[in-house]
Amino acid sequence: MNYEVVSMDLLNIIKLHHDDFSKTELKVYEYVINHPETIEIYTISKIADVSGTSTSAVLRFCQVLGFKGYKDFRFEMVKYLHENIKEQDSGDLWNQYINEYIKMINQFQNIDRDLIEQLIVDLKQNKRIYLFGIHYSSLPCRQLKAGLQDLGIMTFASYDYMESAHLVNTVNEDDVIIFFSVSGAKNNFKRFLTPLINNLPSKSYLITMNPNSQLVGLFNNVITIPGYTLTNQSVIDCEAFFLVFVEILLNLLHHH
């Protein structure tokens, strides 16, 4: 297969193969043609799920097109999408930035829903809730504190390490801790919050953008906000997506 040609006009290539697909593979075809942008963020299992097929059907769909598997197909689709978005938006920065945000928001669908539900239950059932957000992470922490207060849920909150160093001494095993950290760095946490390292409550939550955070092993529950790599390579402010996450969480709490 000529990948250079495919990357230039992949959707038309897929359409040309319409009659080559089986009945099951056509379900994958219909989904891909109508939702090509999701290929960038969906796994083969997710594509199978949303198209009502199976991973083997998705694999056969890719092979009919001449690809070895879904990974190769996804690579060319992402390349195709990025080239076309760039071409369409090169003269319109407004649309370019909007597309970047939309791409990020779509990835929120990959956040663990069961973990979010567990957090909601813990927030509603526990009397003592501690929120920590330092420097860049302080804004979502403040937003969550204000939102919880509006819902009648009182919290303790800290936005700098010196204050946090004193506050952690009051934490008990049956309390809830939510720690916001964009980068998930461990140095300052280890320096100022030493009492928590070996005594984190079971209901402890790390909310971070870094899936490889050094703090992951310390917390029992880790919620990863998508987009760490993308925000490091673009003008998008990572705090914006923390705020979106907090707003969604507060709305879920309200309707729980």
Side-chain angles (χ1 to χ4, degrees):
M1 173 171 288
N2 187 332
Y3 284 100
E4 183 177 356
V5 173
V6 170
S7 65
M8 291 294 291
D9 202 358
L10 183 53
L11 287 182
N12 281 335
I13 294 294
I14 295 174
K15 291 177 181 178
L16 288 174
H17 280 276
H18 179 276
D19 295 337
D20 299 328
F21 297 120
S22 67
K23 185 177 180 180
T24 303
E25 292 157 9
L26 281 174
K27 292 182 179 180
V28 182
Y29 167 89
E30 291 294 338
Y31 180 82
V32 170
I33 290 296
N34 291 312
H35 309 282
E37 71 284 352
T38 62
I39 301 301
E40 181 168 9
I41 60 173
Y42 281 1
T43 63
I44 186 172
S45 298
K46 184 67 174 179
I47 294 297
D49 181 51
V50 295
S51 62
T53 59
S54 62
T55 55
S56 58
V58 178
L59 178 60
R60 291 195 302 271
F61 166 84
C62 297
Q63 292 172 338
V64 168
L65 296 174
F67 297 100
K68 292 182 180 180
Y70 179 74
K71 182 179 180 180
D72 293 334
F73 168 70
R74 179 182 177 277
F75 176 83
E76 289 300 325
M77 178 60 81
V78 171
K79 181 179 177 183
Y80 169 81
L81 291 171
H82 285 193
E83 287 176 349
N84 280 269
I85 289 175
K86 181 177 180 181
E87 179 180 348
Q88 294 169 9
D89 297 335
S90 59
D92 191 340
L93 287 176
W94 175 269
N95 283 339
Q96 182 177 337
Y97 292 146
I98 288 177
N99 284 326
E100 289 292 301
Y101 276 91
I102 290 174
K103 185 191 305 181
M104 286 286 297
I105 293 299
N106 283 335
Q107 292 187 41
F108 271 62
Q109 299 176 71
N110 297 325
I111 295 177
D112 189 334
R113 305 290 181 82
D114 291 335
L115 194 52
I116 298 300
E117 180 67 20
Q118 179 182 320
L119 174 58
I120 290 173
V121 171
D122 285 343
L123 288 174
K124 292 187 72 71
Q125 292 184 351
N126 287 268
K127 295 181 179 180
R128 302 217 320 170
I129 298 167
Y130 290 80
L131 310 177
F132 297 90
I134 317 299
H135 302 315
Y136 286 117
S137 305
S138 65
L139 190 56
C141 185
R142 293 176 189 274
Q143 182 191 18
L144 181 58
K145 177 179 175 61
L148 290 175
Q149 287 180 331
D150 289 341
L151 294 173
I153 302 174
M154 304 307 294
T155 65
F156 300 95
S158 177
Y159 314 113
D160 66 71
Y161 278 113
M162 293 302 294
E163 181 182 10
S164 299
H166 295 285
L167 188 59
V168 294
N169 292 318
T170 67
V171 175
N172 296 319
E173 166 56 31
D174 55 350
D175 296 333
V176 176
I177 283 185
I178 299 177
F179 190 86
F180 289 93
S181 178
V182 174
S183 65
K186 188 177 181 180
N187 290 341
N188 283 329
F189 184 95
K190 185 177 181 180
R191 177 183 176 188
F192 292 99
L193 305 179
T194 303
L196 285 182
I197 292 181
N198 297 316
N199 298 290
L200 271 172
S202 59
K203 298 172 183 176
S204 60
Y205 293 83
L206 170 65
I207 302 178
T208 182
M209 258 191 165
N210 184 2
N212 300 314
S213 166
Q214 298 173 328
L215 296 175
V216 167
L218 298 179
F219 287 81
N220 290 332
N221 306 288
V222 179
I223 298 174
T224 304
I225 306 298
Y228 185 70
T229 301
L230 180 59
T231 55
N232 285 336
Q233 298 174 349
S234 72
V235 298
I236 291 179
D237 186 347
C238 55
E239 284 182 302
F241 296 101
F242 272 83
L243 297 178
V244 170
F245 170 80
V246 170
E247 193 62 29
I248 294 173
L249 177 63
L250 289 171
N251 276 282
L252 290 174
L253 268 166
H254 175 69
H255 292 290
H256 194 269

